[in-house]
Amino acid sequence: MTHKKLNLPQKICPVCGKPFSWRKKWQNCWEEVIYCSERCRKNKN
Ligand SMILES: [Zn+2]
């Protein structure tokens, strides 16, 4: 079984500066996602 690789949207995390890809857990709030992880969200300062 082969999976066609989807072209997932990406964003750059402003805290760690790394790109991160769309995840299923963000399917309903991707527009609002800014940080790559909870850890970065807490480290924004
Ligand atoms: Zn990050």
Side-chain angles (χ1 to χ4, degrees):
M1 193 165 104
T2 53
H3 269 288
K4 193 174 184 181
K5 196 172 184 182
L6 296 174
N7 196 13
L8 297 175
Q10 287 198 334
K11 292 187 178 184
I12 306 287
C13 174
V15 175
C16 65
K18 292 176 185 173
F20 60 98
S21 298
W22 184 92
R23 289 175 201 169
K24 196 167 188 179
K25 67 175 180 177
W26 293 326
Q27 63 186 330
N28 295 320
C29 61
W30 176 245
E31 295 293 314
E32 294 156 34
V33 175
I34 300 170
Y35 306 102
C36 70
S37 61
E38 193 71 8
R39 190 177 170 186
C40 279
R41 194 175 65 78
K42 288 174 182 168
N43 286 338
K44 59 188 171 186
N45 296 320

